Amino acid sequence: MSRTSRPAVEERPVTMDWSRGALAGPAAQERVRNLGQLQGLFYDVASWRQIDPAKIVYRVRWWEPVPEGTEGGLFWGTTIVEPGRVGDEYFMTHGHSHLRGNRAEIYSTISGEGSLLLSEGGGRVRLEPMTAGSMHYIRGDVAHRAANVGERPLVFVACWPSDARHDYGGIVSKGFGAHLVCRNGIPTLLGDGPNAR
Ligand code: M6P
Ligand code: ZN
C-alpha cells in the first residue's frame, strides 16, 4: 500500500470563532462601510451630514471558496453592525436584492439585538427580530437589510449562493420601502414615500 505524507496541521483557508462570530484566515475578505459610503440611504439627510463620514457603520468578513458566479457554490460571511443612529434611524447595512431572484440566503444571529428588514416590493416591508441564535430564511426575491436596534454590536452570519449576485442599485434608486426608526424607545417602521427620503 502506498502512502503519501502531508503535514499533520494544514493551514485552514478560514476559521470561525463561534463565540464572537469572527471569521479569520488567509482566504477571508473584508469590506468596511462607513457613513459616507451610505449616502442617500438614511431619510434624515440633515442628521447624516452632521456625523463624521468616516464613522464605521458595519464591516463584513466573508469567504468565497469558489469564484463568484459559480452555479451550485456557496459563500459565507460575518457582518458586524455598530450600534448608533442617524437622527432616529438605526445604523444598518446597505441592503441588497439578488440579481438571480431564485437564490435564497440564510442569516443567523450570534449576538446583539437587531431587526431584519425584508422588502417584498410595493412598499411591503416585514421585520424579523434578530437575537442570539435566531435563524432567518430570506427568499431569493426579497430585498434584505439588517439594522442594529441595540446598544452593542449586532453580529450575524450569512450563507448565500455564489451566483446570487448582489444588486444595490435598486435600493439606491427606488428606496427600500421603509425606514426603521426609534420612536419612544421602540423600533418603528416608517413608510418610504417620496418625501420620507
Ligand atoms: C450579509 C450577507 C452579505 C452582505 C452583507 C452586508 O453578510 O447578506 O452578502 O454583503 O450581509 O450587506 P450588504 O451587502 O447589503 O452591505
Ligand atoms: Zn443577500
Side-chain angles (χ1 to χ4, degrees), residues 97-98 100-104 119-121 138-144:
S97 53
H98 294 168
R100 301 193 78 169
N102 62 358
R103 297 299 193 265
S119 176
E120 298 176 334
I138 302 167
R139 266 186 8 225
D141 58 346
V142 165
H144 38 288

mmCIF file of all heavy atoms in Angstrom, residues 97-98 100-104 119-121 138-144:
data_model
loop_
_atom_site.group_PDB
_atom_site.id
_atom_site.type_symbol
_atom_site.label_atom_id
_atom_site.label_comp_id
_atom_site.label_asym_id
_atom_site.label_seq_id
_atom_site.Cartn_x
_atom_site.Cartn_y
_atom_site.Cartn_z
ATOM 1 N N SER A 97 -30.748 43.256 -3.066
ATOM 2 C CA SER A 97 -31.543 42.113 -3.505
ATOM 3 C C SER A 97 -30.615 41.229 -4.334
ATOM 4 O O SER A 97 -29.466 41.605 -4.601
ATOM 5 C CB SER A 97 -32.758 42.574 -4.318
ATOM 6 O OG SER A 97 -32.335 43.411 -5.359
ATOM 7 N N HIS A 98 -31.085 40.060 -4.705
ATOM 8 C CA HIS A 98 -30.263 39.158 -5.513
ATOM 9 C C HIS A 98 -30.670 39.287 -6.972
ATOM 10 O O HIS A 98 -31.858 39.230 -7.290
ATOM 11 C CB HIS A 98 -30.432 37.717 -5.035
ATOM 12 C CG HIS A 98 -29.884 37.497 -3.654
ATOM 13 N ND1 HIS A 98 -30.120 36.367 -2.906
ATOM 14 C CD2 HIS A 98 -29.084 38.295 -2.875
ATOM 15 C CE1 HIS A 98 -29.497 36.476 -1.737
ATOM 16 N NE2 HIS A 98 -28.874 37.635 -1.696
ATOM 17 N N ARG A 100 -30.243 37.189 -9.207
ATOM 18 C CA ARG A 100 -30.947 35.939 -9.516
ATOM 19 C C ARG A 100 -31.985 35.731 -8.426
ATOM 20 O O ARG A 100 -31.668 35.366 -7.297
ATOM 21 C CB ARG A 100 -29.971 34.762 -9.590
ATOM 22 C CG ARG A 100 -28.901 35.001 -10.646
ATOM 23 C CD ARG A 100 -28.146 33.766 -10.962
ATOM 24 N NE ARG A 100 -28.898 32.891 -11.849
ATOM 25 C CZ ARG A 100 -28.369 31.836 -12.452
ATOM 26 N NH1 ARG A 100 -27.104 31.532 -12.269
ATOM 27 N NH2 ARG A 100 -29.096 31.085 -13.231
ATOM 28 N N GLY A 101 -33.221 36.013 -8.785
ATOM 29 C CA GLY A 101 -34.293 36.076 -7.797
ATOM 30 C C GLY A 101 -34.721 34.733 -7.230
ATOM 31 O O GLY A 101 -35.624 34.677 -6.386
ATOM 32 N N ASN A 102 -34.090 33.648 -7.658
ATOM 33 C CA ASN A 102 -34.421 32.355 -7.035
ATOM 34 C C ASN A 102 -33.253 31.844 -6.195
ATOM 35 O O ASN A 102 -33.151 30.653 -5.928
ATOM 36 C CB ASN A 102 -34.832 31.321 -8.083
ATOM 37 C CG ASN A 102 -33.714 31.035 -9.071
ATOM 38 O OD1 ASN A 102 -32.644 31.636 -8.993
ATOM 39 N ND2 ASN A 102 -33.941 30.111 -9.985
ATOM 40 N N ARG A 103 -32.397 32.772 -5.772
ATOM 41 C CA ARG A 103 -31.269 32.387 -4.921
ATOM 42 C C ARG A 103 -31.519 32.900 -3.509
ATOM 43 O O ARG A 103 -31.417 34.100 -3.250
ATOM 44 C CB ARG A 103 -29.951 32.963 -5.456
ATOM 45 C CG ARG A 103 -29.562 32.438 -6.836
ATOM 46 C CD ARG A 103 -29.362 30.930 -6.778
ATOM 47 N NE ARG A 103 -28.701 30.408 -7.967
ATOM 48 C CZ ARG A 103 -29.316 29.896 -9.022
ATOM 49 N NH1 ARG A 103 -30.638 29.838 -9.068
ATOM 50 N NH2 ARG A 103 -28.622 29.409 -10.035
ATOM 51 N N ALA A 104 -31.852 32.013 -2.604
ATOM 52 C CA ALA A 104 -32.200 32.366 -1.226
ATOM 53 C C ALA A 104 -30.930 32.534 -0.385
ATOM 54 O O ALA A 104 -29.812 32.355 -0.871
ATOM 55 C CB ALA A 104 -33.102 31.305 -0.622
ATOM 56 N N SER A 119 -37.934 43.368 2.297
ATOM 57 C CA SER A 119 -38.758 44.195 1.434
ATOM 58 C C SER A 119 -39.294 43.360 0.283
ATOM 59 O O SER A 119 -38.537 42.860 -0.549
ATOM 60 C CB SER A 119 -37.919 45.358 0.900
ATOM 61 O OG SER A 119 -38.673 46.123 0.000
ATOM 62 N N GLU A 120 -40.606 43.206 0.279
ATOM 63 C CA GLU A 120 -41.221 42.311 -0.704
ATOM 64 C C GLU A 120 -41.707 43.063 -1.929
ATOM 65 O O GLU A 120 -42.380 42.498 -2.780
ATOM 66 C CB GLU A 120 -42.362 41.543 -0.030
ATOM 67 C CG GLU A 120 -41.826 40.684 1.101
ATOM 68 C CD GLU A 120 -42.890 39.953 1.881
ATOM 69 O OE1 GLU A 120 -44.041 40.438 1.909
ATOM 70 O OE2 GLU A 120 -42.566 38.911 2.462
ATOM 71 N N GLY A 121 -41.362 44.353 -2.013
ATOM 72 C CA GLY A 121 -41.795 45.155 -3.159
ATOM 73 C C GLY A 121 -43.126 45.824 -2.878
ATOM 74 O O GLY A 121 -43.859 45.422 -1.964
ATOM 75 N N ILE A 138 -34.212 33.845 3.985
ATOM 76 C CA ILE A 138 -34.522 35.003 3.140
ATOM 77 C C ILE A 138 -34.785 34.500 1.726
ATOM 78 O O ILE A 138 -33.872 33.959 1.070
ATOM 79 C CB ILE A 138 -33.336 36.002 3.149
ATOM 80 C CG1 ILE A 138 -33.041 36.444 4.581
ATOM 81 C CG2 ILE A 138 -33.638 37.195 2.251
ATOM 82 C CD1 ILE A 138 -31.715 37.177 4.742
ATOM 83 N N ARG A 139 -36.015 34.650 1.293
ATOM 84 C CA ARG A 139 -36.360 34.205 -0.061
ATOM 85 C C ARG A 139 -35.541 34.977 -1.092
ATOM 86 O O ARG A 139 -35.188 36.138 -0.885
ATOM 87 C CB ARG A 139 -37.842 34.464 -0.328
ATOM 88 C CG ARG A 139 -38.715 33.277 -0.029
ATOM 89 C CD ARG A 139 -40.161 33.491 -0.426
ATOM 90 N NE ARG A 139 -40.433 34.692 -1.185
ATOM 91 C CZ ARG A 139 -41.457 35.515 -0.939
ATOM 92 N NH1 ARG A 139 -42.277 35.266 0.048
ATOM 93 N NH2 ARG A 139 -41.656 36.573 -1.694
ATOM 94 N N GLY A 140 -35.288 34.354 -2.215
ATOM 95 C CA GLY A 140 -34.412 34.959 -3.212
ATOM 96 C C GLY A 140 -34.942 36.238 -3.825
ATOM 97 O O GLY A 140 -34.181 37.050 -4.351
ATOM 98 N N ASP A 141 -36.252 36.431 -3.768
ATOM 99 C CA ASP A 141 -36.837 37.586 -4.448
ATOM 100 C C ASP A 141 -37.165 38.730 -3.484
ATOM 101 O O ASP A 141 -37.928 39.626 -3.823
ATOM 102 C CB ASP A 141 -38.114 37.161 -5.195
ATOM 103 C CG ASP A 141 -39.151 36.554 -4.264
ATOM 104 O OD1 ASP A 141 -38.803 36.207 -3.115
ATOM 105 O OD2 ASP A 141 -40.320 36.433 -4.676
ATOM 106 N N VAL A 142 -36.589 38.682 -2.287
ATOM 107 C CA VAL A 142 -36.894 39.684 -1.262
ATOM 108 C C VAL A 142 -35.617 40.473 -0.925
ATOM 109 O O VAL A 142 -34.595 39.877 -0.594
ATOM 110 C CB VAL A 142 -37.440 38.959 -0.010
ATOM 111 C CG1 VAL A 142 -37.445 39.857 1.194
ATOM 112 C CG2 VAL A 142 -38.842 38.425 -0.279
ATOM 113 N N ALA A 143 -35.680 41.807 -1.033
ATOM 114 C CA ALA A 143 -34.516 42.625 -0.659
ATOM 115 C C ALA A 143 -34.336 42.569 0.852
ATOM 116 O O ALA A 143 -35.329 42.468 1.592
ATOM 117 C CB ALA A 143 -34.714 44.065 -1.120
ATOM 118 N N HIS A 144 -33.089 42.604 1.327
ATOM 119 C CA HIS A 144 -32.842 42.424 2.760
ATOM 120 C C HIS A 144 -31.772 43.369 3.278
ATOM 121 O O HIS A 144 -30.829 43.706 2.569
ATOM 122 C CB HIS A 144 -32.481 40.967 3.092
ATOM 123 C CG HIS A 144 -31.623 40.308 2.056
ATOM 124 N ND1 HIS A 144 -32.104 39.949 0.820
ATOM 125 C CD2 HIS A 144 -30.316 39.941 2.067
ATOM 126 C CE1 HIS A 144 -31.136 39.395 0.124
ATOM 127 N NE2 HIS A 144 -30.025 39.385 0.851
#
